[in-house]
Amino acid sequence: MQRVYSHPNPLLVAHWRNLLEEEGIRCQVRNLDLLAGAGELAPTGVWPELWVERPTDHARACRLIEEMLH
């Protein structure tokens, strides 16, 4: 598995997961439970993260996210 996106807003991470899954890319959201550790852990270390399950989907997922952001 490889990380493709991270953001402090869990709703935005879930939105990207939904969009990637519509494109046939299986993925998972991680670190949702770490938000409670904010202030005691590194700020970006507790952000929710989006990970793709298949390494072959990593480049495509990154490209889709980049295209949709712009």
Side-chain angles (χ1 to χ4, degrees):
M1 294 186 68
Q2 294 178 295
R3 188 179 74 170
V4 293
Y5 188 74
S6 182
H7 195 275
N9 184 339
L11 295 175
L12 190 55
V13 176
H15 172 70
W16 290 116
R17 180 199 63 214
N18 292 338
L19 292 175
L20 290 180
E21 287 182 346
E22 284 180 14
E23 294 292 325
I25 299 173
R26 293 189 340 221
C27 44
Q28 295 179 8
V29 175
R30 295 184 175 180
N31 291 354
L32 288 176
D33 297 334
L34 292 181
L35 288 174
E40 296 181 25
L41 301 170
T44 58
V46 298
W47 287 5
E49 298 174 340
L50 182 60
W51 291 67
V52 293
E53 293 183 7
R54 295 181 298 242
T56 55
D57 287 335
H58 182 262
R60 183 170 166 237
C62 290
R63 186 176 63 250
L64 287 169
I65 290 171
E66 186 66 29
E67 288 173 2
M68 291 184 227
L69 283 171
H70 298 286

